Each structure stands twice: as structure tokens, then as C-alpha cells.
Short mmCIF file of all heavy atoms in Angstrom, two decimals:
data_model
loop_
_atom_site.label_atom_id
_atom_site.label_comp_id
_atom_site.label_asym_id
_atom_site.label_seq_id
_atom_site.Cartn_x
_atom_site.Cartn_y
_atom_site.Cartn_z
N PHE A 230 -144.94 -6.36 -100.26
CA PHE A 230 -144.40 -5.09 -100.94
C PHE A 230 -144.86 -3.86 -100.13
O PHE A 230 -144.02 -3.01 -99.81
CB PHE A 230 -144.93 -5.05 -102.32
CG PHE A 230 -144.43 -3.83 -103.11
CD1 PHE A 230 -143.25 -3.95 -103.85
CD2 PHE A 230 -145.27 -2.68 -103.14
CE1 PHE A 230 -142.78 -2.82 -104.50
CE2 PHE A 230 -144.71 -1.51 -103.82
CZ PHE A 230 -143.55 -1.66 -104.53
N LEU A 231 -146.15 -3.88 -99.73
CA LEU A 231 -146.61 -2.65 -98.98
C LEU A 231 -146.03 -2.65 -97.50
O LEU A 231 -145.58 -1.58 -97.10
CB LEU A 231 -148.19 -2.69 -98.83
CG LEU A 231 -148.91 -2.59 -100.22
CD1 LEU A 231 -150.33 -2.76 -100.00
CD2 LEU A 231 -148.61 -1.19 -100.77
N LEU A 232 -145.83 -3.77 -96.91
CA LEU A 232 -145.23 -3.79 -95.61
C LEU A 232 -143.72 -3.38 -95.74
O LEU A 232 -143.23 -2.64 -94.78
CB LEU A 232 -145.21 -5.22 -95.00
CG LEU A 232 -146.56 -5.67 -94.51
CD1 LEU A 232 -146.58 -7.22 -94.18
CD2 LEU A 232 -147.00 -4.90 -93.34
N ALA A 233 -143.04 -3.76 -96.81
CA ALA A 233 -141.61 -3.34 -96.91
C ALA A 233 -141.55 -1.83 -97.17
O ALA A 233 -140.40 -1.27 -96.99
CB ALA A 233 -141.02 -4.15 -98.05
N LEU A 234 -142.57 -1.21 -97.68
CA LEU A 234 -142.53 0.19 -97.91
C LEU A 234 -142.81 1.02 -96.65
O LEU A 234 -142.47 2.22 -96.57
CB LEU A 234 -143.58 0.66 -98.93
CG LEU A 234 -143.19 0.39 -100.41
CD1 LEU A 234 -144.37 0.79 -101.29
CD2 LEU A 234 -141.98 1.14 -100.84
N LEU A 235 -143.30 0.35 -95.61
CA LEU A 235 -143.64 1.13 -94.42
C LEU A 235 -142.49 1.84 -93.70
O LEU A 235 -142.70 3.03 -93.26
CB LEU A 235 -144.27 0.15 -93.34
CG LEU A 235 -145.77 -0.30 -93.65
CD1 LEU A 235 -146.22 -1.19 -92.53
CD2 LEU A 235 -146.58 0.82 -93.71
N PRO A 236 -141.31 1.22 -93.71
CA PRO A 236 -140.18 2.09 -93.09
C PRO A 236 -139.89 3.35 -93.94
O PRO A 236 -139.61 4.38 -93.22
CB PRO A 236 -138.95 1.12 -93.18
CG PRO A 236 -139.63 -0.28 -93.22
CD PRO A 236 -140.88 -0.13 -93.95
N LEU A 237 -139.98 3.27 -95.17
CA LEU A 237 -139.86 4.50 -95.97
C LEU A 237 -140.92 5.54 -95.58
O LEU A 237 -140.61 6.69 -95.50
CB LEU A 237 -139.79 4.25 -97.43
CG LEU A 237 -139.65 5.30 -98.41
CD1 LEU A 237 -138.33 6.10 -98.16
CD2 LEU A 237 -139.63 4.90 -99.89
N ILE A 238 -142.16 5.04 -95.62
CA ILE A 238 -143.29 5.93 -95.31
C ILE A 238 -143.22 6.54 -94.01
O ILE A 238 -143.38 7.73 -93.80
CB ILE A 238 -144.61 5.15 -95.41
CG1 ILE A 238 -144.92 4.69 -96.83
CG2 ILE A 238 -145.73 5.98 -94.85
CD1 ILE A 238 -146.02 3.69 -97.00
N ARG A 239 -142.68 5.73 -93.04
CA ARG A 239 -142.48 6.27 -91.61
C ARG A 239 -141.35 7.37 -91.71
O ARG A 239 -141.55 8.47 -90.99
CB ARG A 239 -141.94 5.06 -90.70
CG ARG A 239 -141.65 5.61 -89.25
CD ARG A 239 -141.31 4.38 -88.46
NE ARG A 239 -140.88 4.75 -87.18
CZ ARG A 239 -139.58 4.72 -86.74
NH1 ARG A 239 -138.72 4.28 -87.54
NH2 ARG A 239 -139.36 4.94 -85.52
N ILE A 240 -140.33 7.20 -92.43
CA ILE A 240 -139.29 8.26 -92.44
C ILE A 240 -139.86 9.56 -93.03
O ILE A 240 -139.60 10.57 -92.56
CB ILE A 240 -138.13 7.70 -93.26
CG1 ILE A 240 -137.32 6.63 -92.59
CG2 ILE A 240 -137.19 8.88 -93.67
CD1 ILE A 240 -136.24 5.97 -93.33
N VAL A 241 -140.58 9.43 -94.17
CA VAL A 241 -141.24 10.56 -94.75
C VAL A 241 -142.20 11.31 -93.83
O VAL A 241 -142.18 12.55 -93.68
CB VAL A 241 -141.90 10.18 -96.04
CG1 VAL A 241 -142.65 11.35 -96.70
CG2 VAL A 241 -140.95 9.72 -97.08
N VAL A 242 -143.09 10.58 -93.14
CA VAL A 242 -144.04 11.10 -92.26
C VAL A 242 -143.34 11.74 -91.16
O VAL A 242 -143.60 12.89 -90.72
CB VAL A 242 -144.98 10.04 -91.78
CG1 VAL A 242 -145.94 10.55 -90.59
CG2 VAL A 242 -145.91 9.50 -92.92
N TRP A 243 -142.31 11.11 -90.49
CA TRP A 243 -141.61 11.75 -89.38
C TRP A 243 -140.82 12.97 -89.77
O TRP A 243 -140.76 13.92 -89.05
CB TRP A 243 -140.76 10.77 -88.76
CG TRP A 243 -141.43 9.75 -87.80
CD1 TRP A 243 -142.64 9.17 -88.07
CD2 TRP A 243 -141.02 9.28 -86.49
NE1 TRP A 243 -143.06 8.42 -86.99
CE2 TRP A 243 -142.08 8.47 -86.05
CE3 TRP A 243 -139.91 9.47 -85.78
CZ2 TRP A 243 -141.96 7.70 -84.85
CZ3 TRP A 243 -139.75 8.76 -84.60
CH2 TRP A 243 -140.75 7.89 -84.12
N ALA A 244 -140.34 12.93 -91.12
CA ALA A 244 -139.69 14.18 -91.53
C ALA A 244 -140.68 15.35 -91.66
O ALA A 244 -140.33 16.44 -91.27
CB ALA A 244 -138.92 13.85 -92.92
N VAL A 245 -141.84 15.06 -92.22
CA VAL A 245 -142.90 16.10 -92.32
C VAL A 245 -143.34 16.65 -91.00
O VAL A 245 -143.50 17.85 -90.78
CB VAL A 245 -144.09 15.59 -93.16
CG1 VAL A 245 -145.21 16.57 -93.10
CG2 VAL A 245 -143.67 15.24 -94.57
N LEU A 246 -143.43 15.67 -90.01
CA LEU A 246 -143.90 16.11 -88.67
C LEU A 246 -142.73 16.53 -87.77
O LEU A 246 -142.98 16.97 -86.56
CB LEU A 246 -144.63 14.97 -87.92
CG LEU A 246 -145.85 14.42 -88.68
CD1 LEU A 246 -146.42 13.16 -88.01
CD2 LEU A 246 -146.91 15.48 -88.74
N ASP A 247 -141.50 16.57 -88.36
CA ASP A 247 -140.43 17.08 -87.59
C ASP A 247 -140.25 16.26 -86.27
O ASP A 247 -140.02 16.84 -85.14
CB ASP A 247 -140.48 18.50 -87.25
CG ASP A 247 -139.16 19.15 -86.83
OD1 ASP A 247 -138.14 18.41 -86.98
OD2 ASP A 247 -139.16 20.20 -86.08
N LYS A 248 -140.28 14.85 -86.32
CA LYS A 248 -140.22 14.05 -85.18
C LYS A 248 -138.86 13.24 -85.13
O LYS A 248 -138.79 12.20 -84.39
CB LYS A 248 -141.52 13.10 -85.08
CG LYS A 248 -142.73 13.78 -84.86
CD LYS A 248 -143.85 12.76 -84.82
CE LYS A 248 -143.69 11.73 -83.77
NZ LYS A 248 -144.89 10.86 -83.65
N MET A 249 -137.88 13.59 -85.91
CA MET A 249 -136.67 12.82 -85.98
C MET A 249 -135.58 13.28 -85.00
O MET A 249 -134.45 12.75 -85.06
CB MET A 249 -136.17 12.86 -87.45
CG MET A 249 -137.05 12.23 -88.48
SD MET A 249 -136.35 12.11 -90.08
CE MET A 249 -136.33 13.89 -90.59
N GLY A 250 -135.90 14.07 -84.12
CA GLY A 250 -134.93 14.44 -83.08
C GLY A 250 -134.04 15.62 -83.42
O GLY A 250 -134.21 16.28 -84.47
N ALA A 251 -133.01 15.70 -82.63
CA ALA A 251 -132.09 16.84 -82.81
C ALA A 251 -131.21 16.65 -84.06
O ALA A 251 -130.74 17.68 -84.55
CB ALA A 251 -131.22 17.02 -81.53
N ASN A 252 -130.93 15.36 -84.39
CA ASN A 252 -130.08 15.14 -85.59
C ASN A 252 -130.83 14.37 -86.60
O ASN A 252 -130.70 13.08 -86.64
CB ASN A 252 -128.82 14.41 -85.19
CG ASN A 252 -127.72 14.49 -86.23
OD1 ASN A 252 -128.03 14.50 -87.37
ND2 ASN A 252 -126.43 14.35 -85.78
N PRO A 253 -131.66 14.89 -87.51
CA PRO A 253 -132.53 14.11 -88.36
C PRO A 253 -131.68 13.35 -89.37
O PRO A 253 -132.13 12.20 -89.76
CB PRO A 253 -133.31 15.22 -89.16
CG PRO A 253 -133.16 16.49 -88.27
CD PRO A 253 -131.96 16.39 -87.50
N LEU A 254 -130.54 13.74 -89.81
CA LEU A 254 -129.73 13.06 -90.80
C LEU A 254 -129.21 11.75 -90.10
O LEU A 254 -129.21 10.73 -90.75
CB LEU A 254 -128.57 13.91 -91.31
CG LEU A 254 -129.00 15.19 -92.00
CD1 LEU A 254 -127.83 15.92 -92.53
CD2 LEU A 254 -129.89 14.84 -93.22
N GLU A 255 -128.81 11.89 -88.85
CA GLU A 255 -128.34 10.68 -88.22
C GLU A 255 -129.40 9.69 -88.00
O GLU A 255 -129.32 8.47 -88.18
CB GLU A 255 -127.70 11.07 -86.83
CG GLU A 255 -127.14 9.82 -86.01
CD GLU A 255 -126.68 10.26 -84.70
OE1 GLU A 255 -126.52 11.39 -84.40
OE2 GLU A 255 -126.25 9.25 -84.05
N TRP A 256 -130.62 10.15 -87.69
CA TRP A 256 -131.82 9.33 -87.42
C TRP A 256 -132.14 8.60 -88.81
O TRP A 256 -132.38 7.35 -88.74
CB TRP A 256 -132.99 10.20 -87.01
CG TRP A 256 -134.18 9.42 -86.67
CD1 TRP A 256 -134.46 8.92 -85.44
CD2 TRP A 256 -135.27 9.01 -87.51
NE1 TRP A 256 -135.69 8.27 -85.37
CE2 TRP A 256 -136.11 8.33 -86.76
CE3 TRP A 256 -135.53 9.22 -88.83
CZ2 TRP A 256 -137.36 7.80 -87.24
CZ3 TRP A 256 -136.68 8.66 -89.37
CH2 TRP A 256 -137.62 7.93 -88.57
N MET A 257 -132.16 9.27 -89.86
CA MET A 257 -132.50 8.66 -91.23
C MET A 257 -131.37 7.69 -91.51
O MET A 257 -131.75 6.61 -92.02
CB MET A 257 -132.64 9.77 -92.28
CG MET A 257 -133.91 10.52 -92.13
SD MET A 257 -134.25 11.60 -93.66
CE MET A 257 -132.98 12.87 -93.38
N THR A 258 -130.14 8.06 -91.33
CA THR A 258 -129.03 7.10 -91.71
C THR A 258 -129.10 5.84 -90.85
O THR A 258 -129.07 4.68 -91.43
CB THR A 258 -127.67 7.69 -91.42
OG1 THR A 258 -127.62 8.97 -92.21
CG2 THR A 258 -126.57 6.87 -91.89
N ARG A 259 -129.37 5.98 -89.60
CA ARG A 259 -129.51 4.70 -88.71
C ARG A 259 -130.63 3.93 -89.14
O ARG A 259 -130.62 2.67 -89.15
CB ARG A 259 -129.59 5.24 -87.22
CG ARG A 259 -129.64 4.12 -86.26
CD ARG A 259 -129.55 4.72 -84.82
NE ARG A 259 -130.85 5.34 -84.51
CZ ARG A 259 -130.88 6.70 -84.32
NH1 ARG A 259 -129.75 7.44 -84.43
NH2 ARG A 259 -131.95 7.26 -83.98
N ASN A 260 -131.85 4.57 -89.35
CA ASN A 260 -133.00 3.80 -89.74
C ASN A 260 -132.89 3.03 -91.03
O ASN A 260 -133.35 1.92 -91.10
CB ASN A 260 -134.25 4.72 -89.64
CG ASN A 260 -134.89 4.82 -88.29
OD1 ASN A 260 -135.83 4.14 -87.98
ND2 ASN A 260 -134.36 5.78 -87.44
N THR A 261 -132.38 3.66 -92.09
CA THR A 261 -132.19 3.00 -93.32
C THR A 261 -131.27 1.91 -93.23
O THR A 261 -131.54 0.81 -93.87
CB THR A 261 -131.83 3.95 -94.46
OG1 THR A 261 -130.62 4.70 -93.98
CG2 THR A 261 -132.92 5.00 -94.75
N GLY A 262 -130.21 2.04 -92.46
CA GLY A 262 -129.26 0.95 -92.31
C GLY A 262 -129.82 -0.28 -91.56
O GLY A 262 -129.63 -1.36 -91.79
N SER A 263 -130.61 0.07 -90.50
CA SER A 263 -131.19 -0.93 -89.65
C SER A 263 -132.17 -1.73 -90.44
O SER A 263 -132.21 -3.03 -90.41
CB SER A 263 -131.89 -0.37 -88.44
OG SER A 263 -130.99 0.30 -87.58
N TRP A 264 -133.03 -1.05 -91.21
CA TRP A 264 -134.03 -1.86 -92.09
C TRP A 264 -133.37 -2.66 -93.18
O TRP A 264 -133.78 -3.69 -93.59
CB TRP A 264 -135.11 -0.91 -92.62
CG TRP A 264 -136.17 -0.57 -91.49
CD1 TRP A 264 -136.23 0.50 -90.82
CD2 TRP A 264 -137.09 -1.52 -91.19
NE1 TRP A 264 -137.29 0.42 -89.95
CE2 TRP A 264 -137.88 -0.83 -90.12
CE3 TRP A 264 -137.44 -2.76 -91.49
CZ2 TRP A 264 -138.94 -1.44 -89.40
CZ3 TRP A 264 -138.57 -3.38 -90.80
CH2 TRP A 264 -139.26 -2.71 -89.80
#
């Protein structure tokens, strides 16, 4: 359960740190779909 939450935690952390690149929405869309 905790491991499966890691992708979501990563998205939140990268959003806070502004590390999602020039197009954050595309990055989040791509990552959620991949996972």
C-alpha cells in the first residue's frame, strides 16, 4: 500500500519543489497514466 502511494507522493513533492518542467500539467498527466 505504501509503495503504491509513492508515485502520488512524488508528484506532490515535485509540484511543491517546482521540478515538473516547463509543462507541469503534461508531466502529471503522463506520470499518472504511466503508473
